[in-house]
Amino acid sequence: MAPETPTLQLAGCQVDLVRQVVSFADGSAGTLTTREAQLLAYLAARPEQDVSREELLDRVWSYRASYATRAVDVTMRRLRAKVEPDPQTPVHLISVHGVGYRFVPTPSAPASRADRPFGGHTIPPVGAEADGLDLSQVPSERTRFVGRDDELERLQRLLRPGGEAPRLVSVLGPGGVGKSRLASHLVHRDDTADAQWPGGVWWCELQTADGLGALVATVAAALSVVLAGTEHDMVETVGRALSGRGRALVVLDGFERCVGHAARTVGEWIGSAPEAVFLVTSRERLRLSGERVIDVSPLGAAEGRTLLVDRMAAAGVDVEGIDEAAVDRVVRRLEGLPLAIELAAPRARLMSLDALHARLDERFKVLRTNARDDGRTLRAVLDGSWDLLEDDERRALTWCSTFVGGFTLEAAEAVLDQGGDTWPLDRIEALRDKSLLRVLETEDDAPPRLGLYDSVREYAAERLAERGEVELAEARHAAYLADVGEELASGIERHGGRERMVELAAEADNLLAVVRRRVRAAPLEAVRAALALEPLFTARGPYAVYAGLLDEVLAAAVDSADIDAERLAALRVARANLYRLAGRLDCSATQLEAALALVGGAGSVAETRAYVIGSLLAFESSRVDDAVARAEQGLAIARQHRHRWLEGTLAGMLGAFATVRNQVEEAERRFAEAIRLDEEAGNEPRAALDQSNFALLLTELGRLDEAEGHLLLALEHHLAWRNTRGAANAHSNLAMLRARQGRLGEAQGHAREAVRMYKGAGYTRFAVMADQNVALLQWARRGAAVALPHLREVAAAFEALDDAGTLRLSRAYLAAAEASEGHADEAERVLGDGGDVGKNPRIEGVVEMAHAFVAMARGHRDEAVAARDRGLASALYQVRFLADLLGRALDGED
């Protein structure tokens, strides 16, 4: 509906709604933007009616009402400045509290604005000096400004007068990152602004500027410049006005809608006004010569925490003694985006921070404001960015939402390429320039990666669903990632493996997404992705995540005709290994039997790895002879079928088994062979592990300096690979070495670090074993009485594991400590008859030492000495460690 006449008579001016011209009684004129004219026309067609903001957004802006923005209020403020006699006391455009606006056609108190010909400001003579700096146009700071010290310092340095100072500085970043707030704070905090900008600071809000005419009119209104003639004439008029102001700062806030007109406006004004400096905030660079760019990123952890707590306190939340960890979790979930933090803070009045964190799964509902004077929502900001995209850019953005954890340019090209004339990388570059894609931090040497903020990704995913392209996009994503994952995983144990591990870690989230999305729809892709993740999760954890993933994939794979025997067997071997690491040895054995039933005799990698895991399983079940036989069988298969990287693995295992059996020469020969094979194959992780295990043999032999060199080298390699499990193993072995050297404090530190790493990776069984070492070192340093509670905890933890041999070992240690404190009966009860745990020299030796302690507690010195000597026959350090403690007790030192 439109007013009956295209000309509207108001107090002191006449508005031509078609030409968008405002004519005043003194003959001067101004212009309206298209949106301002549309808003005025819509309200004028409904005189004396209360019109809501939602209706105006819907009918004038064509926004859905639920996506409330500041657009109505911002545009109304500018419109009043152009047509009202006194914008602070409007007579035509009246605010209706809690609703919106009302148009009153006949003013009750006409006023003249002959002295204010345009925009509410008297036009100063061209070339006149400003009478003091007027910052009334600059948005006021209603809340505390937080952080951004580096960006502020850079801006101040760039804007400082000097021969090399740029004329155009663009502050870039995604919507909601705080660009406008940064610019306004910069202006307000500068106490030298009067001297630095004698021509004034002019703030021009362009968020709703629509077209060249609107851009020029907005700048002219801020400068109090009357416009007339063609668009070219208007651009020149602004340029001449700026030229006459001298050194002035023009802030163009929200320029992203006007980037296409940058050359015709800012580019020309820079030339015509040689002293003017332009500070632009935008989601997209202007691409003008001489433009200097400052990228504004989300807040860091400390700044984000400060902002959230400050805004919570401002909203009335009691922040005394607040849980900083919970604050940090919310800030991380909000990715440090200031707008998101500002919108989330008031929600803490009604819910705990943990509840708020959980609710952020519905972030577009949570991150909106209920304030009547502020229509901000996170979705509205993203709507604004979406509106600025071309259709092929929108399609690229929605398809990018299939990536989780970022992507390489090669991945984008493979997934987004649909043929046609538009190159995918051009679209990616356009999205990066518009601040919708960001560069992600990666591990050292990792290829560069791009990604979406979570908010943008969720928004784009909704748009992808609206386009009906989810299945197609996810299928292309899965096909590409499955290929990449397999290629990377297959090279981990070969030359160049570290670089492949880095890339595999970078793609972990994408591969996990493939598994979860495709496990039912396309099980083969899910299986390929799950197997590709095995080297990463085995080395770094967390165990529980990968175990759950394998269970889900296995359930789908056994029912699928698309999964071949080799891949199904590989899944079962991977699951068997995780069961072993968790101490569930029976479950591990069941999976291995099923795997060998699928590929037994094939000589495949899956079969060979089944022998690897089976051998370790036998050893950990105290069946050392069986462990050796399985390892030798696996080694024969690896040699026959040239699985070189597995040859070194199996040779190293045979070296470890020979060490436990006190076969020193065989152990040394096997380790030398293993390390040589590892290095030839380029299997760095296994070489480091074999170095670490070889160091144990050297420790047993008393060659402590050699052992230390191997262990420190192994630890260095594991840390470089971020191999949590390998590094924990090295720390455990270093603990044993330091104890042998008499450096018990350092030994305990290494043991504790091993516990921390094993727990972090989720390797429960190994964590408990390392914790047992901590307790034993505590005994050696401070006495059995101090260590006893800790040893009891360890024994209880082993009770929950399906590992009879290790449980027997922990009970023997506990029994020894109990007996050391004179609790002979309790020691015998704990020790029991031992049950059938197979034949393991280490366990047998420790059990003999426990019997020696019991005999000592009962006063049977000769029996204690005999039991000690039987235990020492194993010649293993763990046994000698207890023997030393026993010797101190027998000599009265404990």
Side-chain angles (χ1 to χ4, degrees):
M1 182 176 180
E4 296 180 359
T5 172
T7 301
L8 199 62
Q9 185 65 49
L10 302 178
C13 69
Q14 187 179 72
V15 181
D16 186 328
L17 294 169
V18 176
R19 294 175 57 232
Q20 300 173 206
V21 173
V22 184
S23 302
F24 300 107
D26 65 350
S28 61
T31 60
L32 299 180
T33 67
T34 300
R35 192 73 76 194
E36 290 164 353
Q38 291 172 342
L39 178 59
L40 180 57
Y42 190 83
L43 289 169
R46 296 158 180 77
E48 304 291 354
Q49 294 183 26
D50 295 346
V51 182
S52 69
R53 289 179 177 84
E54 289 75 14
E55 180 179 343
L56 292 171
L57 284 168
D58 184 36
R59 302 306 298 274
V60 179
W61 273 261
S62 298
Y63 283 5
R64 282 174 285 177
S66 60
Y67 298 173
T69 74
R70 291 186 296 167
V72 174
D73 300 314
V74 171
T75 305
M76 179 59 73
R77 185 168 66 250
R78 293 174 182 159
L79 180 58
R80 283 171 171 167
K82 295 179 180 181
V83 303
E84 288 282 2
D86 181 359
Q88 302 304 315
T89 310
V91 294
H92 294 294
L93 300 168
I94 309 300
S95 295
V96 182
H97 185 69
V99 179
Y101 296 97
R102 178 192 310 131
F103 177 74
V104 179
T106 305
S108 57
S112 170
R113 51 182 295 170
D115 60 331
R116 294 162 64 252
F118 185 74
H121 302 279
T122 302
I123 304 176
V126 174
E129 293 186 4
D131 183 18
L133 190 61
D134 178 11
L135 299 182
S136 60
Q137 303 173 82
V138 183
S140 61
E141 296 195 289
R142 294 183 294 176
T143 55
R144 174 189 172 198
F145 186 84
V146 174
R148 301 297 192 198
D149 291 340
D150 290 343
E151 292 91 339
L152 285 167
E153 193 277 331
R154 288 182 61 200
L155 279 170
Q156 286 181 315
R157 188 172 65 250
L158 286 173
L159 296 176
R160 191 173 297 132
E164 300 300 320
R167 302 282 310 288
L168 171 61
V169 178
S170 294
V171 177
L172 300 184
V177 81
K179 304 181 294 296
S180 300
R181 184 66 194 275
L182 174 64
S184 67
H185 182 71
L186 172 75
V187 173
H188 280 294
R189 70 174 284 183
D190 190 354
D191 54 11
T192 66
D194 277 321
Q196 185 172 351
W197 309 111
V201 174
W202 308 99
W203 187 278
C204 309
E205 291 189 1
L206 300 170
Q207 284 89 348
T208 59
D210 196 0
L212 176 61
L215 164 60
V216 178
T218 302
V219 178
L223 294 168
S224 299
V225 173
V226 177
L227 298 178
T230 65
E231 288 182 338
H232 178 71
D233 294 334
M234 292 190 291
V235 171
E236 285 192 342
T237 300
V238 171
R240 285 195 300 271
L242 284 171
S243 178
R245 305 289 169 96
R247 181 169 173 78
L249 178 65
V250 181
V251 184
L252 303 174
D253 182 39
F255 202 82
E256 54 270 2
R257 290 185 177 274
C258 306
V259 168
H261 306 297
R264 292 186 61 191
T265 54
V266 179
E268 293 188 17
W269 295 335
I270 288 175
S272 58
E275 293 186 81
V277 176
F278 295 85
L279 176 62
V280 174
T281 72
S282 177
R283 301 175 196 180
E284 182 176 1
R285 66 178 64 228
L286 276 60
R287 301 185 187 88
L288 296 181
S289 177
E291 179 182 20
R292 295 290 293 274
V293 171
I294 291 182
D295 286 308
V296 181
S297 302
L299 296 173
E303 292 178 340
R305 181 191 313 131
T306 300
L307 180 62
L308 181 56
V309 172
D310 181 84
R311 299 307 191 256
M312 287 170 59
V317 179
D318 182 6
V319 297
E320 186 71 27
I322 195 167
D323 182 353
E324 286 195 359
V327 173
D328 289 345
R329 284 193 293 272
V330 172
V331 170
R332 281 196 301 272
R333 187 76 172 85
L334 296 171
E335 301 173 290
L337 197 65
L339 174 61
I341 293 172
E342 298 252 13
L343 294 172
R347 299 296 190 184
R349 291 176 298 190
L350 301 176
M351 63 185 80
S352 69
L353 286 171
D354 287 339
L356 175 58
H357 182 273
R359 291 284 187 121
L360 288 174
D361 288 338
E362 298 180 286
R363 65 179 60 218
F364 294 127
K365 293 181 180 178
V366 174
L367 302 180
R368 57 185 302 163
T369 180
N370 291 321
R372 289 192 174 96
D373 63 345
D374 188 350
R376 294 179 302 169
T377 69
L378 185 60
R379 187 186 292 277
V381 170
L382 295 173
D383 281 340
S385 295
W386 178 263
D387 290 343
L388 297 175
L389 300 179
E390 302 293 335
D391 188 62
D392 61 343
E393 294 168 351
R394 290 177 178 176
R395 186 178 188 282
L397 179 65
T398 60
W399 278 55
C400 283
S401 70
T402 60
F403 291 104
V404 183
F407 54 88
T408 62
L409 290 176
E410 291 78 10
E413 187 173 11
V415 175
L416 271 62
D417 189 10
Q418 298 294 309
D421 298 330
T422 304
W423 195 28
L425 298 192
D426 285 340
R427 287 175 268 168
I428 293 298
E429 184 177 8
L431 294 175
R432 173 72 182 104
D433 285 344
K434 293 177 179 179
S435 302
L436 288 167
L437 288 177
R438 59 174 175 158
V439 178
L440 302 178
E441 293 184 7
T442 59
E443 288 188 31
D444 294 341
D445 304 325
R449 295 179 71 79
L450 295 168
L452 303 174
Y453 293 102
D454 283 347
S455 300
V456 176
R457 191 171 66 81
E458 291 179 23
Y459 179 90
E462 290 183 8
R463 293 291 192 175
L464 181 66
E466 290 174 6
R467 296 171 71 98
E469 296 177 342
V470 173
E471 173 60 29
L472 179 59
E474 290 186 350
R476 287 181 66 93
H477 172 270
Y480 173 78
L481 265 299
D483 287 343
V484 168
E486 281 188 337
E487 192 278 328
L488 292 174
S490 66
I492 298 294
E493 295 162 319
R494 296 173 175 81
H495 291 289
R498 181 177 175 276
E499 290 76 13
R500 289 186 175 89
M501 178 67 95
V502 168
E503 292 184 46
L504 184 64
E507 297 297 359
D509 287 337
N510 276 311
L511 289 165
L512 286 169
V514 171
V515 175
R516 289 163 179 154
R517 292 169 182 165
R518 310 296 287 174
V519 66
R520 298 299 172 192
L524 179 57
E525 291 175 348
V527 168
R528 294 172 65 202
L531 288 174
L533 286 166
E534 185 186 11
L536 179 68
F537 276 100
T538 301
R540 301 184 182 183
Y543 152 78
V545 171
Y546 193 51
L549 195 75
L550 287 178
D551 287 339
E552 187 176 4
V553 172
L554 263 171
V558 295
D559 295 328
S560 173
D562 296 332
I563 312 302
D564 58 88
E566 175 73 10
R567 284 196 173 98
L568 185 56
L571 280 176
R572 292 196 178 280
V573 171
R575 191 64 184 95
N577 190 37
L578 290 187
Y579 276 131
R580 179 186 70 85
L581 293 173
R584 299 176 62 184
L585 305 188
D586 287 347
C587 293
S588 180
T590 300
Q591 289 290 346
L592 287 177
E593 289 173 8
L596 287 171
L598 287 165
V599 293
S604 64
V605 171
E607 181 187 18
T608 311
R609 290 196 68 234
Y611 279 104
V612 169
I613 306 304
S615 176
L616 292 171
L617 189 64
F619 176 75
E620 289 159 6
S621 301
S622 299
R623 295 180 283 111
V624 180
D625 291 343
D626 187 19
V628 171
R630 285 174 178 260
E632 288 178 341
Q633 192 172 356
L635 182 58
I637 296 172
R639 284 173 174 164
Q640 179 183 352
H641 295 277
R642 303 185 64 80
H643 303 320
R644 299 301 300 275
W645 66 99
L646 289 173
E647 287 186 55
T649 297
L650 287 154
M653 289 166 53
L654 287 167
F657 300 157
T659 299
V660 171
R661 300 168 92 185
N662 202 25
Q663 299 171 344
V664 175
E665 292 183 3
E666 170 69 3
E668 195 160 3
R669 181 182 71 81
R670 288 292 193 183
F671 279 128
E673 177 189 18
I675 293 170
R676 176 182 61 79
L677 289 169
D678 293 335
E679 291 175 348
E680 288 177 359
N683 191 348
E684 291 185 20
R686 186 66 212 189
L689 185 60
D690 285 332
Q691 294 269 9
S692 182
N693 289 337
F694 180 41
L696 281 185
L697 173 64
L698 296 174
T699 300
E700 301 290 357
L701 298 174
R703 293 155 59 181
L704 304 185
D705 289 343
E706 287 182 69
E708 183 170 2
H710 284 287
L711 278 173
L712 293 178
L713 182 63
L715 181 59
E716 179 183 346
H717 277 293
H718 287 312
L719 292 175
W721 276 70
R722 299 194 182 183
N723 187 328
T724 306
R725 182 173 157 229
N729 172 271
H731 276 296
S732 287
N733 292 348
L734 274 166
M736 192 173 298
L737 173 67
R738 297 300 184 218
R740 182 74 182 271
Q741 292 171 328
R743 296 154 64 176
L744 296 182
E746 292 179 51
Q748 198 161 27
H750 284 296
R752 285 185 173 132
E753 183 62 10
V755 172
R756 185 191 68 80
M757 286 187 159
Y758 279 132
K759 284 185 176 179
Y763 295 131
T764 307
R765 177 172 173 271
F766 288 87
V768 177
M769 292 173 66
D771 200 27
Q772 182 169 258
N773 291 337
V774 172
L776 292 171
L777 288 163
Q778 194 175 29
W779 178 1
R781 295 185 72 194
R782 301 177 62 190
V786 175
L788 260 174
H790 199 161
L791 285 169
R792 289 168 184 154
E793 289 177 8
V794 169
F798 275 121
E799 290 279 357
L801 299 176
D802 176 23
D803 186 347
T806 309
L807 176 60
R808 176 65 168 160
L809 188 66
S810 71
R811 285 176 172 171
Y813 283 130
L814 176 58
E818 294 280 8
S820 178
E821 287 301 297
H823 311 151
D825 291 343
E826 177 62 14
E828 286 192 334
R829 185 194 69 77
V830 169
L831 196 57
D833 60 10
D836 182 14
V837 295
K839 186 176 178 58
N840 184 310
R842 180 178 62 152
I843 297 176
E844 292 173 349
V846 172
V847 169
E848 286 290 355
M849 286 298 162
H851 284 301
F853 272 95
V854 172
M856 180 198 68
R858 296 194 183 283
H860 304 154
R861 183 182 180 87
D862 292 343
E863 186 178 336
V865 171
R868 180 193 64 184
D869 292 342
R870 288 194 300 273
L872 283 173
S874 70
L876 293 174
Y877 178 65
Q878 293 99 322
V879 178
R880 287 200 300 273
F881 181 83
L882 280 181
D884 289 343
L885 292 174
L886 178 65
R888 287 161 54 185
L890 290 172
D891 294 339
E893 296 178 15
D894 193 312

